[in-house]
Amino acid sequence: MTLFSILMLFAAGFLASAVNAIAGGGTFLTFGAMTLIGIPPIVANATSSVTQFPGYVTSALAYYTEIRKDLREALKLGAISVVGGLAGALTLLALSNPTFQQIVPWLLIGATALFAAGPWLRPRSLSPDHPMGPIGLFAQFVTSIYGGFFGAGLGIMTLTVLGIAKGGDYHRLNAMKNFIAVLIAAVAIIVFVGGGVIAWLPAAIMIPAGALGGYAGVWMAKRVPQWVVRALVIAVGLLLSWYYFTK
């Protein structure tokens, strides 16, 4: 592995966890960086879950106070998300790399479009203590299946579901999203490690970068305009979509 590859992976790990802490979309960066250096798509996708996990954890810890306010509902949503994440991860392992590579550009363009539409999908009229109904819980279950299977755009999908079904303050919803992401990533990692589809050298480079980026992302979320981060993630998503459609 060249020095340039190492630096690119480290930067991708840091930035991915930072943008995950703000709104999601970090998988675009880690998945893209690994595929650009020649890692097969299923392995790159599975390794992304490992590399971003420390960032999810540190981001959730940084939102500890907000998570405690919604702990009961967080645990309920977490249980649903664990089951969905397990189903998604097992589905990924059942596919071959060529089959998954054919699906990837459509997943990327769909996730990018949803990410771009995110600000218009979240109503602000509900009380922050509005409970999740059956439809919202089912929507989160479907979202968690996607998260275990691929993960790009999972953050904005989860924020969209929470915003529509629950509503409330952005940072409270973001805290819940980070907590859920930890659980989905954890169960997916267990499946992927058992399936032997982790590239450990790239993971070793990106994991410490992700831990730093996750904590820094919460600081950025309160200071950096969201449109700046959103524009970066959308640009990366479109570039990756174009790359896989033309590959």
Side-chain angles (χ1 to χ4, degrees), residues 9-19 29-30 206 208-214 216-217 220:
L9 291 174
F10 188 90
F14 180 88
L15 291 173
S17 291
V19 300
L29 301 173
T30 54
M206 288 190 284
L212 293 172
M220 292 168 61

Side-chain angles (χ1 to χ4, degrees), residues 5-175:
S5 297
I6 293 171
L7 292 175
M8 181 172 66
L9 291 174
F10 188 90
F14 180 88
L15 291 173
S17 291
V19 300
N20 278 338
I22 298 171
T27 300
F28 289 123
L29 301 173
T30 54
F31 179 81
M34 281 186 279
T35 55
L36 286 175
I37 64 172
I39 295 175
I42 287 181
V43 176
N45 182 41
T47 306
S48 288
S49 297
V50 173
T51 60
Q52 293 181 73
F53 184 70
Y56 288 141
V57 172
T58 52
S59 297
L61 290 174
Y63 270 124
Y64 175 75
T65 301
E66 287 82 0
I67 292 171
R68 283 196 62 185
K69 293 177 182 177
D70 293 307
L71 185 59
R72 184 174 179 179
E73 191 155 39
L75 293 175
K76 179 170 64 175
L77 287 168
I80 292 171
S81 298
V82 164
V83 177
L86 176 63
L90 289 172
T91 301
L92 177 67
L93 286 190
L95 299 178
S96 65
N97 271 297
T99 301
F100 183 63
Q101 188 163 318
Q102 291 178 349
I103 300 171
V104 163
W106 299 102
L107 291 171
L108 286 169
I109 198 67
T112 303
L114 183 62
F115 189 88
W120 294 276
L121 296 176
R122 291 182 291 154
R124 294 173 173 81
S125 59
L126 299 178
S127 163
D129 296 313
H130 184 85
M132 293 277 282
I135 294 176
L137 294 174
F138 177 74
Q140 179 52 40
F141 175 70
V142 173
T143 299
S144 65
I145 294 175
Y146 170 82
F149 179 77
F150 188 47
L154 172 63
I156 193 60
M157 291 175 72
T158 303
L159 280 174
T160 300
V161 170
L162 293 174
I164 292 174
K166 180 177 174 60
D169 174 74
Y170 165 77
H171 288 295
R172 247 173 116 168
L173 295 179
N174 202 31

Side-chain angles (χ1 to χ4, degrees), residues 210-222:
L212 293 172
Y215 200 86
V218 175
W219 181 90
M220 292 168 61
K222 299 175 181 180

